[in-house]
Amino acid sequence: MEKTYNPRDFEDRLYKEWEESGCFKAVRDDNKIPFTVMMPPPNITGQLHMGHAMDETMQDAVIRFKRMQGYCALWLPGTDHASIATEVKVVEQITKEGLSKESLGREGFLKRVWAWKDKYNTRIVEQLKKLGSSCDWSRLTFTMEEKCSRAVREVFVNLYNKGLIYRGSRIINWCPNCKTTLSDEEVNYAEEAGSFWHIKYFVEGDNETFLEVATTRPETMFGDTAVAVNPDDKRYKHLIGKKVILPVVNKSIPIVGDKHADMEFGTGVVKITPAHDPNDFEVGLRHNLPVVRVMNDDGTMNEQAGKYKGLDRYECRKQLVKDLKSGGFLVNIQPHAHNVGHCYRCGSTIEPLVSRQWFVKMEKLARPAIDAVTYKKITFVPERFAKIYYNWMENVKDWCISRQLWWGHRIPVWYCGDCGKEIVSKTDITECPHCGSKNLTQDEDVLDTWFSAALWPFSTLGYPDDTSDLEYFYPTDVLVTGYDIIFFWVARMIFSGIEHMRKVPFRDVLIHGLVRDEKGRKMSKSLGNGVDPLEVIDKYGADSLRFSLLQGVAPGNDTRYSDAKVEACRNFMNKIWNASRFVIMGTEGAKIKPISEFRLSAADKWIISKLQSAIRDVTLALNKFELGIACQIMYDFMWSDFCDWYIELVKPVLKSEDEVKRDGAASVLVFVLENALKLLHPFIPFITDEIYRNLPNTSGTIMTAEYPRYNAKLNYKKDAQSFAGIMDIITAVRAVKTEVNCPPSRKVRLFIHTDSKRLINANESSVLKLAGAKEIKFVNSAEEAGENAVTKVLAIGTVYIPMGELVDIEKEKARLSAELEKVTSEIARADGKLNNQGFISKAPKKLVDDERAKLNKFIEMREKILKQINSLN
RNA sequence: GGGGGCAUAGCUCAGUUGGUUAGAGCGCUUGCUUGACAUGCAAGAGGUCGCAGAUUCGAGUUCUGCUGUUCCCACCA
């Protein structure tokens, strides 16, 4: 093995080997239990960012864990065509070349998008591989490939036939820049400083009386078809039924009474513009008002705006306000902060308007989807996200699925030019089934990108065919994704899975947070604070990045990325690397045999017990998807227990003359390291496999090795506990040396008053080595240790360390007094507890016993410390 | 308007059925060319776990209220 950890030497090589060996592939095996994870398909809009890196790492960790446990583990990868997002990108690209969608035409434009897709799809796959993702590449799926398109059509037609998809004129969100509708979820609201324009609407035939209307969007005035007041409003009640004259336009519109008008808000008078406001649309329905659209698709005014026709909506507003003012209609302008909707892709201000679109009827689909979570067929991790899900699902409105875009699944509906009927079909048609006409035109629009994404858990496995894969791998086991797409995607997969497969799409939903920058800001292009995972991998290796994205992260919580964190993880990799080098080199020539063939030392039993705890706790944590905790356990075990203690303890043994002892130590070293590597493999697959291959008596890849199982027989609790006493001695001696400024290299003599002579004798060489001592003598009193000895009172006994001229009596007294104080306060605490009748009678017996033992120990220690202080006086 | 999250060491964060003397990384102090590793080793300093109550034998952990901060949903024109 190389002297320093250099991930570039082996990461790519190992990945290639894994891929070629076929161990990523999941093939139905009825002797195994399936475990399925569907990768949330990254958008082909660009390359992967840190958020993806975390998402993929979590999935990879889970799938590798399950694979090692013997499940038939399928992690199915894919990419998403991301209809609007990609289209925006490609339009940007062609605009730079002086081209446009129109100039290229539908075919030409789509050709450009496919080229884009090829480029980014390839890049994304490369990135996933660099990260170490163990997905089944033979199943790589793109949401616009034939397999998915077939599923989309099947679902569309089925929903249509059930009456759950319909076409209707309703208020939708319109992006004037992308020139398409958006679903409610695709609109982001942000508070903006706007204005309230107060405008006089004169009552017809009365030049004195007017209603003062307050509006934030005066330019929609041309579409006003009524003015509403609250029917209970004493100020205006008498005017209901009369008419007002629309200023500038000079059109007569009715005054209606409607509870929508809030008496407390503004002037209490609302202009009603059914074509451009969702609430007004409802009012319009109630009062049978005409719907007048005043804007074109690009946000300019149409012929309804009269002389303002052709102006951009905001330019029109400016001029109109000027005219209202000069006409004497404008009362005043008040500043008003209000929320304005923006397109989630291009940021343009959304225009609500009436349009004829395709919708999915949500009411019937939502109910079973709510039940699935209520009755725990699906569990959110952490649980709190179920609440967010309920809230959305219980208030969901019909889903607008048609988009005026070209990139996406085209709506499978044809309109007959002759009989006028609409035909919905799973396959392309050229002839009207009703009248035989060939005069057919397919709906121009495509489907919302989330429509196909909603089918992902089963479209990828062959739906609508009854495939063997579907039967075996569906429902999937866990979906890993961020909280930002619960509505867009998770919710829609749930109702889709239930509706079309009659089974929930997954059993657990593991939700993670966002990866933010060092300052806690969202990583974004505009801020320029994004960090490219590939660059980090190049610098530190994939394992370091992976570990940094998992360690210390709690499910559902945001986390910060920082180079410092990755560096710390790289140091951990380096630690693992070097410890392994030591094990491999240090055990060369030794006979590595099963540990059961040796008489284990106290240190051996201690580390083996620690390993058992790690196995138990890590497995438990992973089963609960607590990846951060699992990583922390392994970090501590590997660094503190294995490296700092066990390796150091075992060094003298490896140098021993006793061959059996040497072989024993070597075997334990290899045994513990091998198990630790297996436990670490799901998180840091590269380094663990590279080392595993260099260990004695291993073959093949660690990837397919069996995951360690907890073995209670190897958990030597008592031995481990008593060995902790040895560690106490070592720590105490080191501390004393530091306190009295004794160079660590200076060997000291130890006088120990203890009942555990055998234990200490058995571990003498370790104590001498690690404490930096030259001899151990057992004594029965402080006097035997001579003068100028520093005293450490420990649970295992009292240690006297002669320090000669280095000892400052006053300092030693102060030190002992400090220790006395500490022990005294502990005694007070334990005493208080044990004097509490409630504690004695209600707390578990074990706890009470432990507390009593602790108290006795502290009392004993206090006696010894007191005695020592007295002897110094 | 409704609902969450977070508030623990100087900084970034863990702490999941309530139960050892509350932890880690980074930073800080002191000392170490200890034969795997200075990307390291050893010893330390540093916390009234946001505030006020409640439940309990026992609360960082449960409940209520409050303060600060942040996010999501709704969108009164």
Side-chain angles (χ1 to χ4, degrees):
Chain A
M1 280 174 78
E2 293 293 320
K3 198 163 180 180
T4 45
Y5 165 65
N6 191 352
R8 265 183 278 192
D9 290 347
F10 55 85
E11 289 192 351
D12 289 345
R13 186 191 80 228
L14 281 177
Y15 195 88
K16 221 174 139 207
E17 281 184 37
W18 290 337
E19 222 185 328
E20 283 166 3
S21 75
C23 50
F24 293 163
K25 267 196 174 170
V27 180
R28 176 171 179 159
D29 178 348
D30 289 322
N31 295 317
K32 287 183 175 180
I33 302 168
F35 190 92
T36 314
V37 176
M38 292 294 171
M39 177 187 294
N43 289 347
I44 53 154
T45 41
Q47 45 200 9
L48 301 189
H49 51 67
M50 265 317 157
H52 289 115
M54 180 166 84
D55 192 47
E56 309 305 348
T57 301
M58 291 174 96
Q59 292 172 69
D60 196 44
V62 170
I63 207 80
R64 282 178 186 271
F65 168 62
K66 291 290 175 180
R67 190 182 291 120
M68 287 175 80
Q69 280 193 323
Y71 289 84
C72 181
L74 166 62
W75 185 20
L76 193 147
T79 50
D80 195 298
H81 67 284
S83 174
I84 182 170
T86 308
E87 189 156 323
V88 166
K89 292 267 180 182
V90 177
V91 167
E92 257 171 40
Q93 192 188 46
I94 61 172
T95 304
K96 276 184 203 150
E97 299 169 28
L99 299 166
S100 68
K101 273 172 76 179
E102 290 68 30
S103 71
L104 284 169
R106 193 162 189 145
E107 292 304 310
F109 179 72
L110 287 179
K111 229 171 134 182
R112 290 293 300 255
V113 191
W114 277 105
W116 171 287
K117 179 256 164 186
D118 286 340
K119 183 176 162 192
Y120 284 98
N121 200 65
T122 308
R123 188 176 290 184
I124 288 166
V125 169
E126 271 169 24
Q127 285 181 295
L128 286 168
K129 290 183 177 179
K130 275 274 179 191
L131 256 179
S133 314
S134 65
C135 33
D136 183 348
W137 293 112
S138 69
R139 296 173 184 265
L140 178 69
T141 304
F142 177 57
T143 51
M144 284 248 294
E145 72 183 58
E146 180 53 28
K147 182 167 68 173
C148 293
S149 300
R150 221 157 66 89
V152 163
R153 287 220 176 163
E154 176 80 16
V155 162
F156 188 98
V157 172
N158 289 346
L159 287 175
Y160 180 90
N161 289 337
K162 289 178 196 164
L164 294 176
I165 280 184
Y166 66 92
R167 197 180 186 211
S169 279
R170 305 188 24 176
I171 286 270
I172 45 82
N173 306 293
W174 182 263
C175 174
N177 181 46
C178 303
K179 296 191 189 66
T180 181
T181 52
L182 296 174
S183 67
D184 295 343
E185 287 66 40
E186 290 169 309
V187 180
N188 292 328
Y189 288 88
E191 193 169 271
E192 277 181 12
S195 300
F196 242 153
W197 284 271
H198 289 246
I199 304 164
K200 293 177 184 173
Y201 283 34
F202 281 93
V203 175
E204 196 174 30
D206 184 344
N207 288 339
E208 299 293 310
T209 319
F210 61 85
L211 287 176
E212 189 179 321
V213 171
T215 179
T216 54
R217 295 191 306 152
E219 68 281 5
T220 61
M221 200 179 91
F222 308 106
D224 289 4
T225 51
V227 162
V229 297
N230 194 290
D232 297 328
D233 196 330
K234 286 180 184 128
R235 292 171 296 179
Y236 311 116
K237 221 170 151 174
H238 61 287
L239 294 173
I240 293 171
K242 295 196 173 172
K243 294 189 167 182
V244 288
I245 302 294
L246 252 181
V248 182
V249 188
N250 285 323
K251 204 167 90 181
S252 161
I253 52 172
I255 301 168
V256 299
D258 194 285
K259 59 185 184 323
H260 168 60
D262 182 348
M263 289 186 278
E264 312 291 317
F265 188 82
T267 57
V269 185
V270 198
K271 70 198 245 333
I272 302 298
T273 323
H276 291 280
D277 183 278
N279 289 307
D280 292 5
F281 185 76
E282 297 298 319
V283 176
L285 287 180
R286 287 198 284 272
H287 298 277
N288 220 356
L289 301 172
V291 177
V292 179
R293 244 186 89 165
V294 301
M295 265 175 238
N296 300 310
D297 288 350
D298 60 358
T300 60
M301 307 306 293
N302 68 13
E303 63 286 348
Q304 291 293 332
K307 68 169 184 171
Y308 307 97
K309 178 188 168 190
L311 290 179
D312 176 78
R313 49 187 167 160
Y314 297 117
E315 184 55 31
C316 167
R317 175 186 292 179
K318 226 161 103 188
Q319 293 195 17
L320 174 64
V321 168
K322 217 163 109 191
D323 293 344
L324 284 168
K325 198 175 174 185
S326 61
F329 296 107
L330 190 66
V331 181
N332 58 33
I333 306 173
Q334 286 174 1
H336 178 66
H338 60 140
N339 272 334
V340 177
H342 298 272
C343 172
Y344 83 141
R345 286 306 166 194
C346 77
S348 306
T349 302
I350 290 302
E351 201 59 52
L353 48 83
V354 164
S355 178
R356 193 158 187 229
Q357 301 292 340
W358 288 96
F359 295 88
V360 174
K361 211 176 202 156
M362 287 305 302
E363 208 187 337
K364 275 184 193 153
L365 295 170
R367 229 172 286 136
I370 292 168
D371 291 346
V373 177
T374 309
Y375 298 114
K376 303 265 178 209
K377 293 208 161 74
I378 296 173
T379 308
F380 279 86
V381 181
E383 236 169 321
R384 65 173 184 270
F385 289 102
K387 232 181 195 173
I388 294 173
Y389 168 84
Y390 289 137
N391 185 51
W392 185 83
M393 209 50 120
E394 279 159 7
N395 299 295
V396 69
K397 301 209 177 83
D398 285 358
W399 175 18
C400 177
I401 51 170
S402 44
R403 297 287 179 276
Q404 291 62 53
L405 301 166
W406 287 349
W407 176 241
H409 297 102
R410 197 147 166 193
I411 292 180
V413 178
W414 285 260
Y415 306 101
C416 177
D418 289 324
C419 69
K421 293 201 165 127
E422 71 184 27
I423 305 111
V424 174
S425 171
K426 291 178 189 175
T427 53
D428 287 356
I429 53 166
T430 52
E431 198 181 289
C432 176
H434 303 288
C435 69
S437 164
K438 303 219 166 172
N439 184 11
L440 292 177
T441 33
Q442 185 174 3
D443 196 300
E444 290 293 323
D445 292 350
V446 300
L447 288 164
D448 180 3
T449 202
W450 299 102
F451 191 90
S452 53
L455 319 180
W456 189 245
F458 46 94
S459 65
T460 45
L461 291 172
Y463 173 91
D465 296 337
D466 248 339
T467 65
S468 151
D469 274 349
L470 257 186
E471 185 192 47
Y472 185 68
F473 291 112
Y474 189 95
T476 70
D477 288 273
V478 59
L479 176 81
V480 182
T481 194
Y483 58 66
D484 47 335
I485 54 172
I486 292 177
F487 308 138
F488 281 119
W489 193 43
V490 180
R492 286 168 179 160
M493 277 193 285
I494 294 176
F495 69 68
S496 300
I498 295 171
E499 176 67 19
H500 307 296
M501 292 294 298
R502 299 280 140 209
K503 275 183 200 163
V504 295
F506 30 72
R507 308 184 202 279
D508 291 302
V509 184
L510 173 57
I511 299 285
H512 60 247
L514 267 37
V515 181
R516 297 173 175 276
D517 76 357
E518 285 172 281
K519 293 176 186 143
R521 298 173 305 182
K522 228 169 166 169
M523 285 191 182
S524 76
K525 270 232 170 85
S526 52
L527 275 173
N529 60 345
V531 181
D532 182 357
L534 276 189
E535 280 176 28
V536 180
I537 290 172
D538 196 49
K539 195 167 169 198
Y540 298 102
D543 287 330
S544 301
L545 174 63
R546 289 170 63 112
F547 206 76
S548 79
L549 290 170
L550 296 178
Q551 193 195 26
V553 173
N557 284 10
D558 288 352
T559 178
R560 294 184 195 205
Y561 169 86
S562 76
D563 282 332
K565 224 187 259 183
V566 185
E567 210 168 300
C569 293
R570 191 272 321 267
N571 293 352
F572 179 48
M573 298 310 130
N574 187 59
K575 190 76 185 171
I576 296 171
W577 184 262
N578 276 294
S580 304
R581 267 181 69 228
F582 172 81
V583 171
I584 289 161
M585 294 183 324
T587 60
E588 248 168 45
K591 292 184 205 71
I592 306 298
K593 293 190 270 191
I595 56 168
S596 55
E597 294 183 19
F598 295 96
R599 205 174 142 187
L600 299 172
S601 73
D604 295 338
K605 286 182 175 173
W606 173 80
I607 192 68
I608 290 166
S609 303
K610 282 277 181 186
L611 172 69
Q612 294 311 311
S613 304
I615 293 171
R616 184 191 57 207
D617 296 344
V618 167
T619 306
L620 218 64
L622 284 179
N623 280 327
K624 290 193 276 180
F625 305 114
E626 286 160 2
L627 305 178
I629 291 175
C631 284
Q632 196 56 46
I633 293 168
M634 287 317 296
Y635 184 93
D636 291 339
F637 173 77
M638 205 56 199
W639 202 314
S640 309
D641 297 336
F642 188 63
C643 294
D644 289 346
W645 279 106
Y646 187 69
I647 285 184
E648 295 305 324
L649 284 163
V650 102
K651 274 177 181 173
V653 188
L654 288 178
K655 293 268 176 308
S656 146
E657 297 294 314
D658 186 334
E659 199 179 316
V660 177
K661 271 193 180 165
R662 263 188 288 145
D663 289 348
S667 298
V668 174
L669 269 175
V670 170
F671 170 80
V672 174
L673 177 60
E674 188 179 324
N675 276 282
L677 290 173
K678 286 175 184 170
L679 294 173
L680 281 162
H681 180 257
F683 316 118
I684 45 174
F686 292 109
I687 187 176
T688 46
D689 202 20
E690 179 66 9
I691 296 167
Y692 182 80
R693 289 158 189 245
N694 282 293
L695 287 183
N697 305 339
T698 61
S699 63
T701 166
I702 195 171
M703 223 188 111
T704 50
E706 195 189 342
Y707 198 78
R709 283 167 204 253
Y710 175 72
N711 182 347
K713 279 184 198 154
L714 293 179
N715 195 355
Y716 309 96
K717 281 183 196 153
K718 267 193 182 161
D719 299 85
Q721 210 180 346
S722 60
F723 185 72
I726 297 293
M727 295 164 72
D728 275 352
I729 296 174
I730 293 164
T731 303
V733 177
R734 286 167 170 174
V736 166
K737 282 188 170 182
T738 304
E739 278 158 25
V740 302
N741 291 322
C742 166
S745 52
R746 182 162 142 188
K747 304 276 189 217
V748 295
R749 296 198 298 163
L750 304 181
F751 296 91
I752 305 176
H753 182 193
T754 181
D755 294 330
S756 309
K757 289 180 190 158
R758 270 185 62 183
L759 178 69
I760 293 170
N761 270 331
N763 293 283
E764 189 182 19
S765 62
S766 297
V767 175
L768 295 179
K769 175 93 194 323
L770 299 196
K774 55 188 172 196
E775 86 182 289
I776 296 173
K777 265 194 180 162
F778 295 111
V779 295
N780 290 314
S781 69
E783 288 71 37
E784 289 181 54
E787 282 189 10
N788 291 330
V790 179
T791 311
K792 275 280 183 179
V793 176
L794 306 171
I796 194 173
T798 307
V799 184
Y800 306 98
I801 310 149
M803 280 297 169
E805 77 288 352
L806 292 173
V807 176
D808 176 328
I809 298 288
E810 288 313 308
K811 261 192 176 172
E812 176 67 359
K813 270 194 227 167
R815 195 183 59 74
L816 283 168
S817 301
E819 282 188 11
L820 181 69
E821 205 177 306
K822 226 166 146 188
V823 170
T824 306
S825 84
E826 281 308 312
I827 289 170
R829 190 196 50 77
D831 221 22
K833 257 185 164 176
L834 289 164
N835 282 330
N836 183 335
Q837 267 314 309
F839 179 71
I840 301 287
S841 58
K842 290 184 183 171
K845 187 170 178 302
K846 164 129 180 36
L847 217 65
V848 179
D849 290 347
D850 285 355
E851 202 60 49
R852 197 162 277 139
K854 238 183 286 170
L855 178 63
N856 291 336
K857 187 188 87 185
F858 284 128
I859 289 173
E860 199 182 316
M861 284 170 75
R862 182 177 58 182
E863 293 308 309
K864 289 179 183 168
I865 294 170
L866 272 173
K867 206 171 143 198
Q868 192 59 30
I869 290 175
N870 285 333
S871 79
L872 288 177
N873 285 330

